[in-house]
């Protein structure tokens, strides 16, 4: 018997979204097909699946009650991930992906405890540093971290935080990148595979 | 009480759970040599949630199907039954969870 805690099933499904950074490890061209077709195909498949779920009333394990009759959060989250990788440079998309995937479960886990906001901010800063941001990018790190945590804590339906956090933070970083240089991306396509 | 599934949901959950563990591991292996800190954050965050989700004996909320028909029925999910037995407090709690 498979036995899972539904709350943690949702949170674990949220954190696994961080694996979307694998996109940047894909070769630019896969058997002659550009790599951006991979997320596009994923969007088409998930749109078909979500419309099937809504039409047939199929239930997905871990689905919240209020999501049964509307587009579910996981679909919005996936769509935001795809928009991020297709519209923004890697230096913006990677930290936004990770912040959206990891900060939400962290705040959920620490709900009601003191220091949850500080822990989320620290995680954001660590993510920016891991994504190649350095001391000279302090303004981007500070603004991105504050925006992500603020959007996470203030987003209310119908605009899900799974959309507002990655896209809002991405737009802010993009606007700031017009004035401040972005770091270069830390993930290079893996050589010698699927070329 | 933990959520229990049966029938086709078992296969779906098993596949999903495998993905929850396999994808972060694959991510860490592939991007680890290029960005070890990034890979570490992805791996740690995911495994932390996986451990919490799969930890045996953790107190949690019970599924409506268990309340109505018992946990051992073959098709534990029925939309009408779930909607009927969902209490207001339980629904409100579920709504605020991320």
């Amino acid at each position: 018997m498979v036995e899972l805690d539904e709350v943690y099933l949702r949170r674990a499904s949220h954190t696994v979204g961080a694996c979307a950074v694998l996109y940047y490890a894909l070769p630019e061209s896969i058997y002659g097909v550009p790599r951006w077709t991979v997320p596009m195909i994923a969007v088409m498949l998930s749109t078909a699946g979500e419309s099937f779920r809504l039409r047939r009333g199929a239930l997905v394990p871990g689905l919240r009650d209020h999501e049964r009759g509307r587009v579910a959060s996981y679909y919005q989250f996936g769509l935001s991930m795809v928009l991020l990788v297709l519209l923004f440079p890697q230096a913006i998309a990677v930290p936004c992906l990770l912040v959206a995937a990891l900060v939400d479960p962290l705040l959920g886990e620490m709900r009601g405890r003191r220091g949850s906001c500080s822990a989320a901010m620290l995680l954001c800063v660590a993510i920016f540093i891991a994504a190649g941001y350095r001391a000279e990018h302090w303004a981007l790190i500070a603004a991105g971290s504050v925006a992500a945590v603020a959007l996470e804590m203030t987003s209310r339906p119908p605009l899900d935080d799974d959309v507002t956090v990655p896209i809002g933070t991405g737009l802010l970083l993009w606007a700031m990148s017009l004035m401040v240089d972005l770091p270069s991306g830390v993930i290079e396509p893996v050589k010698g595979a699927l070329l | 009480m933990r959520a229990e599934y049966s029938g086709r949901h078992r296969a779906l959950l098993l596949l999903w759970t495998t993905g929850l563990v396999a994808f972060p591991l694959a991510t860490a292996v592939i991007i680890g040599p290029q960005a070890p800190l990034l890979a570490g954050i992805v791996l740690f965050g995911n495994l932390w949630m996986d451990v919490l989700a799969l930890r045996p004996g953790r107190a949690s909320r019970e599924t409506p199907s268990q309340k109505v028909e018992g946990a051992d029925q073959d098709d534990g999910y029925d939309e009408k039954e779930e909607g009927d037995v969902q209490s207001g407090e339980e629904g409100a709690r579920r709504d605020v969870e991320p």
Side-chain angles (χ1 to χ4, degrees):
Chain A
M1 172 68 77
V2 178
E3 201 175 311
L4 277 169
D5 187 306
E6 280 205 21
V7 171
Y8 287 103
L9 173 65
R10 277 200 297 272
R11 286 184 188 160
S13 304
H14 210 286
T15 54
V16 87
C19 298
V21 296
L22 272 179
Y23 171 78
Y24 293 103
L26 290 174
E28 296 284 350
S29 170
I30 305 165
Y31 296 116
V33 179
R35 72 175 175 185
W36 55 262
T37 53
V38 174
M40 293 303 287
I41 291 169
V43 164
M44 284 191 278
L45 289 176
S46 55
T47 302
E50 185 65 2
S51 59
F52 173 81
R53 182 188 71 81
L54 287 170
R55 271 204 317 274
R56 298 283 299 272
L59 288 173
V60 176
L63 195 71
R64 293 184 209 161
D65 294 329
H66 67 84
E67 290 177 323
R68 287 183 192 171
R70 70 163 176 87
V71 174
S73 295
Y74 61 77
Y75 177 73
Q76 298 180 43
F77 185 57
L79 212 56
S80 305
M81 302 283 108
V82 171
L83 285 174
L84 269 179
V85 297
L86 293 182
L87 299 180
F88 294 102
Q90 188 191 142
I92 292 177
V94 165
C96 292
L97 277 171
L98 294 185
V99 162
L102 300 176
V103 169
D104 191 5
L106 177 72
L107 281 173
E109 185 62 23
M110 295 189 72
R111 186 183 300 278
R113 292 189 209 167
R114 285 182 63 188
S116 61
C117 197
S118 309
M121 291 287 291
L122 275 176
L123 176 61
C124 288
V125 171
I127 286 170
F128 275 99
I129 291 169
Y133 286 70
R134 295 291 174 262
E136 61 264 32
H137 306 112
W138 64 270
L140 291 166
I141 297 174
S145 302
V146 170
V149 176
L151 285 167
E152 180 63 51
M153 299 181 88
T154 56
S155 294
R156 293 287 178 269
L159 216 49
D160 204 278
D161 57 1
D162 295 328
V163 176
T164 56
V165 172
I167 301 298
T169 310
L171 285 172
L172 176 70
L173 292 177
W174 173 79
M176 290 183 74
S177 72
L178 300 175
M179 297 170 279
V180 186
D181 284 339
L182 287 170
S184 54
V186 290
I187 307 173
E188 294 290 326
V190 176
K191 299 276 191 301
L194 303 173
L195 291 174
Chain B
M1 192 179 284
R2 292 163 68 83
E4 291 185 6
Y5 302 93
S6 54
R8 64 183 182 277
H9 287 102
R10 282 192 212 178
L12 180 63
L13 267 175
L14 197 60
L15 188 69
W16 194 249
T17 311
T18 307
L20 291 180
V21 178
F23 266 102
L25 286 174
T27 306
V29 168
I30 293 169
I31 68 168
Q34 301 180 50
L37 185 54
L38 199 69
I41 289 173
V42 171
L43 189 63
F44 177 77
N46 275 281
L47 292 185
W48 181 38
M49 282 301 147
D50 291 345
V51 166
L52 289 177
L54 295 165
R55 192 163 62 179
R58 186 179 176 90
S60 179
R61 51 210 59 176
E62 62 187 309
T63 57
S65 60
Q66 288 172 316
K67 292 181 199 170
V68 177
E69 299 287 340
D72 55 345
Q73 60 184 1
D74 284 333
D75 189 4
Y77 275 90
D78 181 270
E79 191 165 5
K80 185 173 180 297
E81 287 175 356
E82 285 197 24
D84 288 344
V85 297
Q86 183 70 50
S87 73
E89 184 186 348
E90 176 75 8
R93 271 199 297 148
R94 289 167 72 101
D95 285 351
V96 298
E97 292 291 341

